[in-house]
Amino acid sequence: MARQNEMGAIAAPRRCRGLLLIGASLIGLAAPAGMASAQQAPAEAASADAVDGVEVITVTARRRAESLQDTPIAISAVTSEGLTARGIDNVTQIGDFTPNVKFNSSVPVSASNATAAIFIRGIGQNDYQLSADPGVGLYLDGVYISRGVGNVLDVLNVERIEVLRGPQGTLFGRNTIGGAVSVVTKKPGDKLAGSLELTTGRFNRIQAKGSIDVPLAEGVYSSFAGFYHKRDGYVKGVVAGAPDLGDTDQLAGRFALRLEPSSDVTIDLAVDGSRAREQSAPNVAIAIDENAPAAQVWNAVYSGAPGICANTADPSRFTDQRCFNNQWALGPYRHGGTFTSVSGVFTNGNPKRYQSASNLNIWGASGTIEWKIADGISFKSITAYRKVTGFWTRDSDHSPATIVETNSDWKQDQFSEEVQLQGDVADGRFNWVVGGYYSSESGNHRDLVNIVDAVFLSGAVLDGKSLAFFGQGTYEIVHNLNLTAGIRWTEDKKTFGNANQYVVEAGFLTGAPFNPDGSGLQNGDPLMGPLGQRSTVKDTAWTPMASLSYRFSPELLGYVSYSEGFKGGGFTQRVFPPFAFIPSFKPETSTTYEVGFKSDLFGRKLRLNGAAFLNDYDDLQITVNDPTLGFAPIIQNAAKARIKGFELEMQARPIGGLQIDAGLGYLDAKYRRVDIRALNAGVTTATKLQNAPKWTLSAGIAYNIQADGIGSFQPRVDWSYRSRVYNDAVNNPLLVQDGYHLVNASVAWTDEDKRWGITASVKNLTKEVYLGSGYADSFGGLVEGVYGRPREWYLSARYSF
């Protein structure tokens, strides 16, 4: 798709016919013999089912409330009860039980604990930098969270989480090329009610979570929710003064107000905030190459013991802490970083020091107005503002040496406005929604980078604007046969400035021929073009979708769909050595064909949903180290990729008290063509896509045991499996995580009045050691990564009224 895109006619290629036939066969196999009359409405069927059947879940994936089983898209949804049963504290943990979904709770290169990368069906963005967009959209009550920093949302008064797989380019639109994750909070209730939960556990865990609904008057309702979580780090520092990493120290709150001035108008106002004061992200060294350029310079010049450290024939170099080598490859749960001070200042003159930190402040405000204008017509407005500030540090060499260290200042804020007009006509046979979206964003990301004794100030100043108009409608062609079609026009504009890019202290690089004119680096030299240089990209796209669904019976819905996705281009803010230009990358686009079914069988005692898909991607954005462009990781377009696969999800309630949940995902992902930029970085057509495991499986089983006069007990076991994962774009063997299993187990007690409850649980019961994310630095000779949390126990007590 060109940046000023012109959309041609939509036509499904021949290879998709086989996919559609497979889907039709799945639908046929899923249809039970002796179907009930298709004339019965799904809602009527649900109300007639036994109370111990599979839970009926209402979702808003298509901007209106409807049953999960009536929504012809690949969507998973989990309610607050399901989140509590699984012991989920933040949104990243839902990746363990959602097919073809992978969350990286700590992205490579970032030292922030509040930066996650979301991958759905193998598509996402593993780079958090300000000038790159995520590949999966994250939404909080309909408000798009535009950056990766601050997207690790606590499960605070959450009603449900919806995971939409595949491009959502019509109604969600911006940067949902891989899918969307929608977090929906509970609205204030009209009765006084509340809950409080206290938790303790391994690593001196202390956690408190509570909420209360307070009606203030007729039509005026309020709620407040609070969250506090503190625990020690699980990656131990082995050098004197080195902190333990991977700790938690978070405080969050949310206030909501619901106004109902009339039966036709509802106004929801909310303010939320969170604060984290933690050690740096738990990165550890996996391997160190003492022959890499930076390692050689340190060992020969700066170590203080060149005769030992630079002598590869001397084995004592592996026990001398002054030397930089594999003695500091201490992963998965130990590190040797010391976070020493750095010379140099930021442009405002305030000196910064390398003290281990991952600090974050977030606050946001939103207002949603819903107005029923007339019968069959309603209006909705969502207005929001969010601000994120942070400071974090990285001892990138993970040793007492001062080879590569950084600290980062982050400031970003966004304003957004979305309006929707929706309705239905023809006795409900045609429902529609049209709307518009506008967002404005500004940010300043500054990295002070210390490489041996040279200091650089790198970063980005970014201004962004996005404008979109969209429309979608569903028409019942004949009874139970529905056609849905929609389209969205998007214009994204980003302006990047390099005011933060210059040399603070040239150090040992003085005289090195890094500048374009052949001269060496000097204090004050720009890292990228003239200081104050700015560059702008403007990307536009039309993203259509169409689907055809048929309800074969009250128990079975089948559908086929076509959709397109789009993610805007951007800039690379990390530059070394200096460039004469600002490097940029193009938009990423996709075309997806999907066929699926939704079924509730045997009186809603068994739910089986499935989808098969084929995704074609152009100009896929990947993060690589391109030696032709320097040492720092940059984002490049890797030409074409093809991803196909399927998902199956099952929920069963075969007998009273027994709950069984399972999920299965399969991906066949490969590059179809790779351009020269990706080839230079080591990506070929034989390279595997990162964060795209072939198999994702999960299962959970729980049984409710009633004890008269005591209450009920519910033992539960959850298991998940991810097959081999490639954690970087070039498939570095040291960053490949082979298939691994995770097992969690718990026992919960609830009293007969369902007011008091106690839960005892163990996560990662089998002590599985697995790599969640990683990065290889050829200049520093370091391969590093973040490992998943070890086995942990916890005990919770809760009270509700």
Short mmCIF file of all heavy atoms in Angstrom, two decimals, residues 123 134-139 144 164-181 488 543 564-567 590 617:
data_model
loop_
_atom_site.label_atom_id
_atom_site.label_comp_id
_atom_site.label_asym_id
_atom_site.label_seq_id
_atom_site.Cartn_x
_atom_site.Cartn_y
_atom_site.Cartn_z
N ILE A 123 1.98 -11.22 14.95
CA ILE A 123 2.15 -9.82 14.55
C ILE A 123 2.11 -8.93 15.79
O ILE A 123 1.21 -9.04 16.63
CB ILE A 123 1.07 -9.40 13.55
CG1 ILE A 123 1.25 -10.16 12.24
CG2 ILE A 123 1.12 -7.90 13.29
CD1 ILE A 123 2.58 -9.92 11.54
N PRO A 134 2.67 0.44 18.10
CA PRO A 134 2.47 -0.98 18.39
C PRO A 134 1.69 -1.66 17.28
O PRO A 134 1.00 -1.01 16.50
CB PRO A 134 1.66 -0.95 19.70
CG PRO A 134 0.96 0.38 19.68
CD PRO A 134 1.90 1.32 18.98
N GLY A 135 1.82 -2.99 17.18
CA GLY A 135 1.12 -3.73 16.14
C GLY A 135 -0.23 -4.25 16.58
O GLY A 135 -1.02 -4.71 15.75
N VAL A 136 -0.50 -4.21 17.88
CA VAL A 136 -1.79 -4.62 18.43
C VAL A 136 -2.33 -3.46 19.25
O VAL A 136 -1.62 -2.91 20.10
CB VAL A 136 -1.65 -5.88 19.31
CG1 VAL A 136 -2.96 -6.20 20.01
CG2 VAL A 136 -1.21 -7.07 18.46
N GLY A 137 -3.56 -3.06 19.00
CA GLY A 137 -4.15 -1.94 19.72
C GLY A 137 -4.64 -2.34 21.09
O GLY A 137 -5.30 -3.37 21.25
N LEU A 138 -4.33 -1.54 22.10
CA LEU A 138 -4.80 -1.75 23.46
C LEU A 138 -5.77 -0.63 23.80
O LEU A 138 -5.44 0.55 23.63
CB LEU A 138 -3.63 -1.77 24.44
CG LEU A 138 -3.99 -1.93 25.93
CD1 LEU A 138 -4.65 -3.28 26.19
CD2 LEU A 138 -2.74 -1.77 26.80
N TYR A 139 -6.95 -0.99 24.29
CA TYR A 139 -8.01 -0.03 24.56
C TYR A 139 -8.49 -0.18 26.00
O TYR A 139 -8.67 -1.29 26.50
CB TYR A 139 -9.20 -0.24 23.62
CG TYR A 139 -8.89 0.11 22.18
CD1 TYR A 139 -8.22 -0.78 21.36
CD2 TYR A 139 -9.27 1.33 21.64
CE1 TYR A 139 -7.91 -0.47 20.05
CE2 TYR A 139 -8.99 1.65 20.32
CZ TYR A 139 -8.30 0.75 19.53
OH TYR A 139 -8.01 1.07 18.23
N TYR A 144 -7.92 4.40 23.08
CA TYR A 144 -6.72 3.78 22.54
C TYR A 144 -5.49 4.22 23.33
O TYR A 144 -5.27 5.41 23.53
CB TYR A 144 -6.57 4.16 21.07
CG TYR A 144 -5.29 3.69 20.42
CD1 TYR A 144 -4.99 2.34 20.30
CD2 TYR A 144 -4.37 4.61 19.90
CE1 TYR A 144 -3.82 1.91 19.70
CE2 TYR A 144 -3.21 4.20 19.30
CZ TYR A 144 -2.93 2.84 19.20
OH TYR A 144 -1.77 2.43 18.60
N LEU A 164 -9.37 -9.53 20.41
CA LEU A 164 -9.84 -9.65 19.03
C LEU A 164 -8.66 -10.00 18.15
O LEU A 164 -7.68 -9.24 18.08
CB LEU A 164 -10.48 -8.35 18.55
CG LEU A 164 -11.83 -7.92 19.15
CD1 LEU A 164 -11.71 -7.53 20.61
CD2 LEU A 164 -12.40 -6.75 18.37
N ARG A 165 -8.71 -11.13 17.49
CA ARG A 165 -7.59 -11.59 16.67
C ARG A 165 -7.80 -11.20 15.21
O ARG A 165 -8.91 -11.28 14.68
CB ARG A 165 -7.42 -13.10 16.80
CG ARG A 165 -6.90 -13.54 18.17
CD ARG A 165 -6.70 -15.03 18.25
NE ARG A 165 -7.96 -15.73 18.29
CZ ARG A 165 -8.60 -16.07 19.40
NH1 ARG A 165 -8.08 -15.75 20.57
NH2 ARG A 165 -9.73 -16.72 19.35
N GLY A 166 -6.71 -10.80 14.56
CA GLY A 166 -6.76 -10.37 13.17
C GLY A 166 -7.01 -8.88 13.08
O GLY A 166 -7.36 -8.21 14.06
N PRO A 167 -6.82 -8.29 11.89
CA PRO A 167 -6.98 -6.85 11.72
C PRO A 167 -8.37 -6.37 12.12
O PRO A 167 -9.38 -6.98 11.75
CB PRO A 167 -6.74 -6.63 10.22
CG PRO A 167 -5.99 -7.82 9.77
CD PRO A 167 -6.45 -8.96 10.62
N GLN A 168 -8.41 -5.29 12.87
CA GLN A 168 -9.68 -4.66 13.26
C GLN A 168 -9.70 -3.25 12.66
O GLN A 168 -9.86 -2.26 13.36
CB GLN A 168 -9.80 -4.62 14.79
CG GLN A 168 -9.60 -5.95 15.47
CD GLN A 168 -10.62 -6.98 15.05
OE1 GLN A 168 -11.81 -6.69 14.92
NE2 GLN A 168 -10.17 -8.21 14.82
N GLY A 169 -9.53 -3.20 11.36
CA GLY A 169 -9.26 -1.93 10.69
C GLY A 169 -10.46 -1.05 10.45
O GLY A 169 -10.31 0.06 9.95
N THR A 170 -11.67 -1.51 10.77
CA THR A 170 -12.87 -0.69 10.50
C THR A 170 -13.30 0.08 11.74
O THR A 170 -13.30 1.31 11.75
CB THR A 170 -14.02 -1.57 10.00
OG1 THR A 170 -13.60 -2.29 8.85
CG2 THR A 170 -15.22 -0.71 9.63
N LEU A 171 -13.66 -0.63 12.80
CA LEU A 171 -14.21 0.04 13.98
C LEU A 171 -13.14 0.45 14.99
O LEU A 171 -13.28 1.46 15.66
CB LEU A 171 -15.25 -0.86 14.64
CG LEU A 171 -16.48 -1.18 13.78
CD1 LEU A 171 -17.45 -2.07 14.54
CD2 LEU A 171 -17.16 0.10 13.32
N PHE A 172 -12.10 -0.35 15.13
CA PHE A 172 -11.01 0.04 16.03
C PHE A 172 -9.95 0.83 15.29
O PHE A 172 -9.45 1.82 15.76
CB PHE A 172 -10.39 -1.21 16.69
CG PHE A 172 -11.27 -1.80 17.75
CD1 PHE A 172 -12.22 -2.75 17.44
CD2 PHE A 172 -11.15 -1.39 19.05
CE1 PHE A 172 -13.03 -3.29 18.42
CE2 PHE A 172 -11.96 -1.92 20.05
CZ PHE A 172 -12.90 -2.88 19.73
N GLY A 173 -9.58 0.34 14.11
CA GLY A 173 -8.80 1.17 13.21
C GLY A 173 -7.34 1.27 13.50
O GLY A 173 -6.57 0.42 13.08
N ARG A 174 -6.92 2.28 14.23
CA ARG A 174 -5.51 2.67 14.29
C ARG A 174 -4.65 1.58 14.92
O ARG A 174 -4.85 1.16 16.05
CB ARG A 174 -5.37 3.97 15.07
CG ARG A 174 -3.97 4.53 15.00
CD ARG A 174 -3.83 5.82 15.77
NE ARG A 174 -2.45 6.28 15.73
CZ ARG A 174 -1.92 7.09 16.62
NH1 ARG A 174 -2.66 7.56 17.59
NH2 ARG A 174 -0.66 7.47 16.52
N ASN A 175 -3.66 1.12 14.17
CA ASN A 175 -2.64 0.20 14.66
C ASN A 175 -3.22 -1.07 15.28
O ASN A 175 -2.77 -1.54 16.31
CB ASN A 175 -1.73 0.90 15.66
CG ASN A 175 -1.07 2.12 15.06
OD1 ASN A 175 -0.69 2.12 13.90
ND2 ASN A 175 -0.97 3.18 15.83
N THR A 176 -4.25 -1.62 14.64
CA THR A 176 -4.80 -2.90 15.05
C THR A 176 -4.59 -3.92 13.94
O THR A 176 -5.45 -4.75 13.68
CB THR A 176 -6.29 -2.78 15.40
OG1 THR A 176 -6.99 -2.21 14.29
CG2 THR A 176 -6.50 -1.92 16.62
N ILE A 177 -3.41 -3.87 13.31
CA ILE A 177 -3.13 -4.76 12.20
C ILE A 177 -3.03 -6.20 12.67
O ILE A 177 -3.35 -7.14 11.93
CB ILE A 177 -1.84 -4.32 11.47
CG1 ILE A 177 -1.69 -5.05 10.14
CG2 ILE A 177 -0.63 -4.45 12.37
CD1 ILE A 177 -0.61 -4.46 9.26
N GLY A 178 -2.58 -6.42 13.90
CA GLY A 178 -2.53 -7.77 14.45
C GLY A 178 -3.76 -8.15 15.23
O GLY A 178 -4.08 -9.33 15.38
N GLY A 179 -4.47 -7.16 15.75
CA GLY A 179 -5.65 -7.41 16.56
C GLY A 179 -5.80 -6.30 17.59
O GLY A 179 -5.14 -5.27 17.53
N ALA A 180 -6.68 -6.53 18.54
CA ALA A 180 -6.95 -5.53 19.57
C ALA A 180 -7.24 -6.22 20.89
O ALA A 180 -7.80 -7.32 20.93
CB ALA A 180 -8.13 -4.63 19.17
N VAL A 181 -6.83 -5.58 21.97
CA VAL A 181 -7.15 -6.01 23.33
C VAL A 181 -7.96 -4.90 23.96
O VAL A 181 -7.48 -3.77 24.09
CB VAL A 181 -5.90 -6.31 24.15
CG1 VAL A 181 -6.27 -6.68 25.58
CG2 VAL A 181 -5.07 -7.43 23.51
N ARG A 488 -12.87 2.08 6.60
CA ARG A 488 -12.32 3.16 7.41
C ARG A 488 -11.24 3.88 6.59
O ARG A 488 -10.43 3.23 5.91
CB ARG A 488 -11.70 2.61 8.70
CG ARG A 488 -11.22 3.69 9.69
CD ARG A 488 -10.55 3.02 10.88
NE ARG A 488 -10.25 3.95 11.96
CZ ARG A 488 -10.95 4.08 13.08
NH1 ARG A 488 -12.03 3.34 13.27
NH2 ARG A 488 -10.60 4.94 14.03
N THR A 543 -9.13 0.94 4.80
CA THR A 543 -9.12 -0.44 5.30
C THR A 543 -10.56 -0.98 5.34
O THR A 543 -11.31 -0.68 6.27
CB THR A 543 -8.49 -0.51 6.71
OG1 THR A 543 -9.07 0.50 7.55
CG2 THR A 543 -7.00 -0.29 6.63
N GLU A 564 -8.73 -5.86 5.88
CA GLU A 564 -7.41 -5.30 5.65
C GLU A 564 -6.98 -4.51 6.87
O GLU A 564 -7.80 -3.96 7.60
CB GLU A 564 -7.42 -4.40 4.40
CG GLU A 564 -7.71 -5.17 3.12
CD GLU A 564 -7.54 -4.32 1.87
OE1 GLU A 564 -7.03 -3.18 2.00
OE2 GLU A 564 -7.93 -4.77 0.79
N GLY A 565 -5.67 -4.48 7.07
CA GLY A 565 -5.11 -3.78 8.22
C GLY A 565 -3.99 -2.85 7.81
O GLY A 565 -3.39 -2.99 6.73
N PHE A 566 -3.67 -1.91 8.69
CA PHE A 566 -2.70 -0.86 8.37
C PHE A 566 -2.04 -0.38 9.66
O PHE A 566 -2.71 -0.22 10.69
CB PHE A 566 -3.42 0.30 7.68
CG PHE A 566 -2.69 1.61 7.70
CD1 PHE A 566 -1.67 1.87 6.80
CD2 PHE A 566 -3.03 2.60 8.62
CE1 PHE A 566 -1.01 3.09 6.81
CE2 PHE A 566 -2.38 3.81 8.64
CZ PHE A 566 -1.36 4.06 7.73
N LYS A 567 -0.72 -0.21 9.61
CA LYS A 567 0.02 0.39 10.71
C LYS A 567 0.97 1.42 10.12
O LYS A 567 1.72 1.12 9.18
CB LYS A 567 0.80 -0.65 11.51
CG LYS A 567 1.47 -0.05 12.74
CD LYS A 567 2.14 -1.11 13.58
CE LYS A 567 3.43 -1.56 12.96
NZ LYS A 567 4.31 -2.27 13.93
N SER A 590 -1.76 -5.35 5.69
CA SER A 590 -2.12 -6.77 5.69
C SER A 590 -3.47 -6.99 5.02
O SER A 590 -4.32 -6.09 4.96
CB SER A 590 -2.18 -7.31 7.12
OG SER A 590 -3.32 -6.78 7.80
N TYR A 617 1.08 -10.17 4.55
CA TYR A 617 1.63 -8.92 5.06
C TYR A 617 2.64 -8.34 4.07
O TYR A 617 3.45 -9.07 3.49
CB TYR A 617 2.32 -9.13 6.41
CG TYR A 617 1.35 -9.36 7.53
CD1 TYR A 617 0.90 -10.64 7.83
CD2 TYR A 617 0.84 -8.30 8.26
CE1 TYR A 617 -0.02 -10.86 8.85
CE2 TYR A 617 -0.08 -8.50 9.27
CZ TYR A 617 -0.50 -9.78 9.57
OH TYR A 617 -1.41 -9.98 10.57
#
